[in-house]
Amino acid sequence: MPTKQVLSKRSNLPASTVKGDSYPQWLMKLLKSEYPKRSSWPEEDDYNYFQRASKQLFGRIGIDHWGTTNWHGLGNCFVTEPYGVQLADVEVLKEKGRERDFVVVHDPISYHNPGDGCQRVLIFPRYLSPFKSYEPPVLKAMQDMGFDITDEAPKPKALSILESKAEDIQALESFVKNRLGLSTIGLFNRPFVVTKTEDGFKFFCSKQQAYKLKLDLNVYKKWMRDLRDKSNLPIFTIEIIDDVALVPAREHTFDSNEGLFVDALRLTFVLSASIPAVEKVLQNALGDRLVSISQGEPDIYDERHLTIKLSDPISKKVAAGLISQLKPKMASIRTSGYFKIPW
């Protein structure tokens, strides 16, 4: 890799440094979803799998002089810098990006061997944290792809929260308790949504929960097989939710195929006298994304827990990033508490 950087004709900034043979986890996850690993022995390791699968994704562009880079503040960008990039092939990749939610940037100036035939093709995820500020080239690249921008920030993924109807829950509990003589306490400790159907009950859950839920339902099925009266027995089916659906779990938490989501943060042990200053920081930092701040009862030290309700659920990863942004803003406030992500 050369050490000298050159000005990019696209951005008028030096081409960002590439960390060679390095790939971001979001891209590996996308590849495994699109191009499952082959069944072979010995099993293909992640590095060789990545090289093979990424070639399928990039197509005629190819994978050469590849790695990760920090591009205008985005640290999880993947770059390939081959020779002879054709605009028609970039357009093919952009169409894949629109379907699979990633952004494609083509720059005629590369980090590897600039000015001598190599060109840069860079990709990054479409859905970024809604709590960060992004530089104009990032937003323009998203707009060029046809992705929406809201208030000078990427528009967040539209999520749907699934909920069980009270009558469907009651019907399930009635069958399990009255017909089988069993408890539903253990079952309802799992995150799922249940719907009453004509022939039984359909359960909606994340792919991570499906196997555990199946084991729970198998207990009920076993008891059903042992019943003397087998008339009108319900059929239990499980359906995996899609990647934009959330299933309520515990308080302020949701299960999904992407892991834990939350619609609130907690600040523990906040001195009562410090609450006005803490609330001001949160209001300034969160703006319209802050719905409410509720206070718990004071303890013997006159410290309280605060629940910070957000307008939309966010992933645990985004919540952790938000906390890292909020902490320095409250560092000067006396006993401003400790952040917790509800679990």
Side-chain angles (χ1 to χ4, degrees), residues 195-202 224 232-237:
T195 299
K196 182 81 170 66
T197 63
E198 289 185 2
D199 55 4
F201 296 94
K202 179 176 283 190
M224 290 161 63
N232 300 319
L233 290 180
I235 297 174
F236 294 152
T237 57

Side-chain angles (χ1 to χ4, degrees), residues 62-132:
I63 298 296
D64 198 8
H65 318 123
W66 58 271
T68 58
T69 190
N70 187 311
W71 187 72
H72 295 288
L74 297 182
N76 59 347
C77 298
F78 178 78
V79 173
T80 179
E81 298 185 337
Y83 292 92
V85 175
Q86 301 297 313
L87 293 180
D89 299 328
V90 175
E91 288 304 315
V92 171
L93 183 63
K94 285 186 175 182
E95 189 57 37
K96 291 181 181 180
R98 294 183 188 99
E99 295 173 355
R100 298 164 176 82
D101 292 324
F102 63 83
V103 180
V104 179
V105 179
H106 173 228
D107 196 327
I109 302 299
S110 64
Y111 176 74
H112 178 87
N113 203 13
D116 195 22
C118 283
Q119 297 182 38
R120 164 173 290 190
V121 178
L122 175 148
I123 64 175
F124 62 86
R126 169 187 180 180
Y127 293 113
L128 305 172
S129 171
F131 299 98
K132 293 182 179 179

Side-chain angles (χ1 to χ4, degrees), residues 136-150:
V138 173
L139 300 178
K140 184 178 185 306
M142 301 190 78
Q143 289 178 311
D144 289 346
M145 291 282 295
F147 296 144
D148 293 334
I149 303 297
T150 304

